[in-house]
Amino acid sequence: GLTVQLDPFTYTGCAAGSVTRENVVAWKLGTHPGRIIVMGGHYDSRTLDVLDGTSPAPGANDSGSQTALVLESARLMASESFDATLVFIAFAGEEQGLIGSGSFAAGFAKYFPSGAAIEAMFNSDIVGGDNSVNDGGTLQQFRLYSPGTPREIMTPIGTTDDTSPARGLMRHVATAGGAYVPSMAIVPMLREDRPGRGGDHESFLDQGIPGVRFIETVESPDAGTIASHQHSPNDLMKYVTPAYTARVTEVVIASVASLARAPSPPRPSPCRATQAGP
């Protein structure tokens, strides 16, 4: 029930010269195909040295968990009908600087009807539920990163009264997730991402598209060290909690489906009636 496309992009990689990699994209056209909602997560992984392309990088949590989430979401939603077009995407090149998502966010129009626009992007990244640092309480929660205006990147955490489109998306996730998956509690993070870190939603934010990031409540510390379960040979299946990933998937699906079946955001009228008289 989905259209599937390999989405190639070229960049300067670890070796000399340019390399070509591919995002994997699937979509289901909606009743109003010009409305697009994207859910995604990157499928590439890395080891201790970001330029090392040969050493073990099992990536069970980062990136296996989010790839499983995207695949399962596509499987469950493919047979349903929606007002908006749903796009499921597994990005490549995230660990090299959000390259795959940057390419798609800037060039998605070539796959969709003229004038189509992305209304929202839901990014999942590190949603495995690391069982070495999370307990029963934190495995019933998830963090959601969402920037305000201006985007909190290197600045302190934002404020709750910010009305940016991404903050509105955060409120929508809290409402839909709370209604359909009450066992999972949102932990709002009022900034774009963790200090000094990033994710594929940022490529869409750069294009003026609202985006948020789902991530486990407590992630393995010291990413990029041999002891960490992130960006190392120790990002192994034995440290993840599949039932946790399933619960986060439920929250993402509830959020995306309710938005995809809702009307489009209101738009200003091209002409306004005026009342005659003094």
Side-chain angles (χ1 to χ4, degrees):
L2 301 175
T3 301
V4 182
Q5 175 77 44
L6 294 177
D7 173 49
F9 58 92
T10 301
Y11 71 104
T12 301
C14 301
S18 63
V19 295
T20 298
R21 295 290 181 262
E22 295 167 321
N23 300 315
V24 185
V25 187
W27 64 87
K28 182 179 181 66
L29 289 178
T31 306
H32 292 86
R35 295 183 60 202
I36 299 174
I37 298 173
V38 176
M39 69 164 69
H42 71 90
Y43 72 88
D44 60 312
S45 64
R46 55 161 287 193
T47 189
L48 299 172
D49 181 354
V50 70
L51 299 180
D52 181 352
T54 58
S55 297
N61 197 346
D62 183 22
S63 59
S65 65
Q66 61 258 22
T67 305
L69 183 153
V70 173
L71 286 169
E72 182 67 355
S73 298
R75 185 186 72 82
L76 289 170
M77 302 177 83
S79 61
E80 302 295 327
S81 59
F82 301 92
D83 184 84
T85 291
L86 297 185
V87 178
F88 309 91
I89 180 164
F91 299 107
E94 191 269 356
E95 300 289 7
Q96 301 297 323
L98 315 181
I99 300 170
S101 58
S103 175
F104 181 83
F108 73 91
K110 61 180 174 284
Y111 299 121
F112 300 102
S114 176
I118 299 176
E119 293 183 354
M121 193 279 168
F122 297 79
N123 181 41
S124 297
D125 193 349
I126 311 178
V127 290
D130 189 323
N131 55 37
S132 70
V133 289
N134 286 280
D135 58 20
T138 56
L139 288 173
Q140 301 299 143
Q141 301 172 327
F142 63 94
R143 287 180 291 166
L144 192 77
Y145 280 90
S146 170
T149 307
R151 290 157 59 182
E152 301 92 351
I153 302 174
M154 301 305 292
T155 55
I157 200 161
T159 59
T160 57
D161 60 354
D162 193 291
T163 57
S164 76
R167 285 281 211 279
L169 201 56
M170 171 180 275
R171 295 183 179 97
H172 170 74
V173 172
T175 300
Y180 290 98
V181 196
S183 62
M184 290 292 281
I186 183 174
V187 180
M189 305 302 294
L190 305 180
R191 59 178 298 117
E192 187 158 311
D193 213 309
R194 300 97 80 219
R197 304 290 296 277
D200 287 313
H201 59 301
E202 293 176 306
S203 296
F204 294 82
L205 291 164
D206 289 344
Q207 299 294 327
I209 298 165
V212 294
R213 175 187 179 143
F214 292 80
I215 184 172
E216 63 189 13
T217 316
V218 182
E219 60 186 301
S220 180
D222 304 318
T225 67
I226 192 66
S228 179
H229 304 154
Q230 191 182 126
H231 298 173
S232 86
N234 278 316
D235 187 354
L236 301 170
M237 185 67 188
K238 66 182 180 179
Y239 297 119
V240 300
T241 309
Y244 177 82
T245 306
R247 291 193 294 272
V248 177
T249 304
E250 291 176 339
V251 175
V252 176
I253 289 176
S255 303
V256 171
S258 57
L259 189 62
R261 285 177 170 163
S264 304
R267 294 174 180 156
S269 172
C271 58
R272 300 179 62 185
T274 58
Q275 183 175 353

